[in-house]
Amino acid sequence: MKTTGEIKNLLQNRELDSTLMDIYLDESRLDYQRQRYIDALTRYEELYETGEIAIFSAPGRSEIGGNHTDHQHGEVLAASINLDAIAITAPLAEPVVRVVSDGYDMITVFLDDLEVKEELKGTTDSLIRGVLEGIKNHGGKIGGFQAYVTSDVLIGAGLSSSAAFETIIGTIVSGLYNEMKLSPVDIAIIGQYAENVHFGKPSGLMDQMASSVGNLVHIDFADVAHPVIENVSCDLVKYGYSLCITDTKGSHADLTPDYAAVPAEMRAVAAVLGQELLHGITLEQLLSHAAEIREKTGDRAYLRAIHFVTENVRVQKEVAALQAEDFDAFLAAVKASGDSSFKYLQNVYTSHDITHQNVSVALAVSDAILGSNGVSRVHGGGFAGTIQAFVKNEAVAEYKAALDGVFGEGACSVLMIRKYGGMQVL
């Protein structure tokens, strides 16, 4: 390992530019990344003094296909992006973990005290504790370390900053104590365990898997205990496109009932057909039992079920198109996914407040500006928040200016699909 001072000199002399470019893919932001790492190293020195360190990274994620399907054991396609959490860290001889996240107080976790604590649920402390216990339960080695973590994964933009944090803690332990031999899949499963059991949030596995595995990952949750995972390559640079995520600044307050209603209504439809979940139910079954389902569950539940069964097919089309290097077919499937989410899943705005439809406006503006230069769709859980767009590079400046003009400067972020998941940088 190198010292903080040695690494700062390498950064200042631009000797790590090729490494940063390989990770972040955006030459226009090399100055930003270089200074970001220098600032993180300086903050680490302020907290823990100088010495030899290692640097780890874990990306945020963007859902590409499979909108609201994982909870019904469906299929998803998600990508890691070139926004990430980075950690400056060093091992400790004593059995304790000390972590400072940018802007927060130090968290201290003792390795002999990793059980679930009700009073810590919903806290960052619980995530660290859960990842450490999860690694230990999976047969991995754990040990003490100190770390400073800083992240530019946008909070509240559906890019899963929590999954990036869980992944980076798991990757630190893999690097410091397991020779980076903990698999990305195991780190993702451990991250989900930390979030479900210790943090108290019943999340699926998609976020953690995309962050840990990297690039595009196709996941089939048919057997949720043993999901089938497939890496899919997508070089946006080759195709001349960028991934744009726009925060529409919609309020997430009081949306819990909207989110909860989606899986509840899908389960209600499945129950009419004698199943617990929609997995395995076909479009033909939904069509032939339409009258009964509508009578017993209502029309919205029926439409959401149609979205689920057709969305799985669209995910498969997206994957097949990328594997065949047919980017136009991929874009068509992305657009169809967004249209289904709007029309059938109905997660673009809340029915409890029809006067505020930020996501709908963002999609309408996107259609008007892009034309044949890209496609857009609702991003993540929906109802408020963000949209996603694949935009031809030559149209990005006009598109960003238009969306920023509607939702405020900096609302639209221009991203790339990153080829690495959780990793050791140095």
Side-chain angles (χ1 to χ4, degrees):
M1 293 193 294
K2 296 183 183 299
T3 66
T4 53
E6 288 171 335
I7 295 173
K8 282 201 280 189
N9 285 334
L10 291 173
L11 288 162
Q12 289 164 344
N13 295 329
R14 304 192 174 211
E15 294 179 53
L16 294 179
D17 278 11
S18 60
T19 298
L20 296 177
M21 186 64 190
D22 185 45
I23 297 170
Y24 299 105
L25 306 168
D26 188 345
E27 188 172 6
S28 70
R29 288 173 62 82
L30 272 180
D31 288 345
Y32 160 77
Q33 292 294 354
R34 198 183 302 115
Q35 191 61 49
R36 177 181 177 229
Y37 274 72
I38 291 171
D39 291 344
L41 288 160
T42 299
R43 180 63 178 139
Y44 176 91
E45 290 171 339
E46 293 170 352
L47 290 164
Y48 306 114
E49 301 183 345
T50 60
E52 293 186 340
I53 55 90
I55 302 178
F56 296 87
S57 162
R61 72 100 181 104
S62 179
E63 173 196 285
I64 308 297
N67 201 203
H68 279 284
T69 58
D70 57 339
H71 49 69
Q72 300 297 300
H73 295 189
E75 299 184 39
V76 301
L77 179 65
S80 59
I81 57 172
N82 59 341
L83 299 176
D84 67 342
I86 60 172
I88 317 297
T89 185
L92 294 173
E94 55 185 316
V96 64
V97 167
R98 298 187 178 96
V99 177
V100 174
S101 294
D102 191 22
Y104 294 90
D105 294 333
M106 181 178 291
I107 294 171
T108 301
V109 175
F110 294 94
L111 300 187
D112 61 355
D113 182 25
L114 299 179
E115 70 271 13
V116 178
K117 294 185 180 296
E118 289 296 320
E119 68 273 17
L120 293 177
K121 285 193 172 181
T123 67
T124 303
D125 188 315
S126 69
L127 293 178
I128 298 170
R129 186 182 302 275
V131 170
L132 291 167
E133 189 200 27
I135 291 172
K136 186 177 180 180
N137 291 344
H138 272 70
K141 297 177 183 178
I142 62 173
F145 65 88
Q146 59 191 24
Y148 170 68
V149 179
T150 182
S151 176
D152 61 6
V153 181
L154 305 173
I155 297 173
L159 301 176
S160 199
S161 56
S162 61
F165 184 82
E166 294 151 15
T167 298
I168 205 164
I169 296 298
T171 306
I172 288 170
V173 177
S174 181
L176 295 183
Y177 291 104
N178 294 275
E179 301 177 322
M180 288 301 287
K181 291 182 179 179
L182 295 179
S183 77
V185 172
D186 281 343
I187 289 175
I189 291 170
I190 289 164
Q192 183 198 26
Y193 167 80
E195 193 154 326
N196 290 174
V197 177
H198 282 257
F199 189 84
K201 179 181 177 182
S203 67
L205 188 57
M206 176 182 68
D207 294 351
Q208 291 82 2
M209 199 71 76
S211 180
S212 185
V213 173
N215 212 321
L216 264 77
V217 59
H218 172 215
I219 313 170
D220 186 343
F221 289 106
D223 180 355
V224 71
H226 303 93
V228 177
I229 302 150
E230 175 185 20
N231 283 107
V232 184
S233 179
C234 179
D235 185 353
L236 289 182
V237 175
K238 171 183 173 181
Y239 294 117
Y241 277 78
S242 292
L243 172 63
C244 297
I245 300 293
T246 298
D247 182 359
T248 70
K249 311 296 175 66
S251 173
H252 288 78
D254 302 322
L255 290 178
T256 299
D258 293 285
Y259 293 125
V262 175
E265 290 180 9
M266 288 185 177
R267 285 173 177 265
V269 173
V272 174
L273 298 175
Q275 294 191 189
E276 181 182 358
L277 301 171
L278 286 176
H279 174 74
I281 290 173
T282 65
L283 180 60
E284 290 72 22
Q285 285 177 287
L286 293 178
L287 294 175
S288 63
H289 292 82
E292 181 185 7
I293 294 169
R294 291 179 62 205
E295 180 183 356
K296 292 182 177 179
T297 68
D299 286 346
R300 189 175 68 173
Y302 179 66
L303 291 168
R304 285 175 165 171
I306 287 178
H307 166 79
F308 171 82
V309 300
T310 56
E311 183 74 347
N312 285 324
V313 175
R314 281 186 290 271
V315 170
Q316 294 163 10
K317 286 181 177 179
E318 289 174 352
V319 172
L322 290 173
Q323 290 172 335
E325 298 188 354
D326 186 346
F327 201 68
D328 287 340
F330 166 73
L331 292 178
V334 170
K335 185 63 173 174
S337 173
D339 289 346
S340 179
S341 293
F342 205 153
K343 292 191 296 184
Y344 306 134
L345 182 60
Q346 299 180 31
N347 70 329
V348 170
Y349 61 89
T350 173
S351 60
H352 304 297
D353 181 12
I354 60 173
T355 61
H356 294 98
Q357 299 190 28
N358 296 41
V359 174
S360 307
V361 170
L363 294 172
V365 172
S366 296
D367 286 347
I369 296 297
L370 289 175
S372 61
N373 288 323
V375 300
S376 64
R377 53 155 288 175
V378 62
H379 185 252
F383 299 110
T386 58
I387 69 161
Q388 170 195 93
F390 288 91
V391 183
K392 286 183 180 178
N393 288 337
E394 58 266 29
V396 166
E398 179 187 9
Y399 179 74
K400 176 174 170 54
L403 273 295
D404 282 355
V406 176
F407 298 105
E409 188 65 29
C412 180
S413 298
V414 183
L415 309 175
M416 300 296 291
I417 294 175
R418 158 175 155 157
K419 56 188 172 183
Y420 301 112
M423 65 178 293
Q424 183 165 351
V425 178
L426 289 170

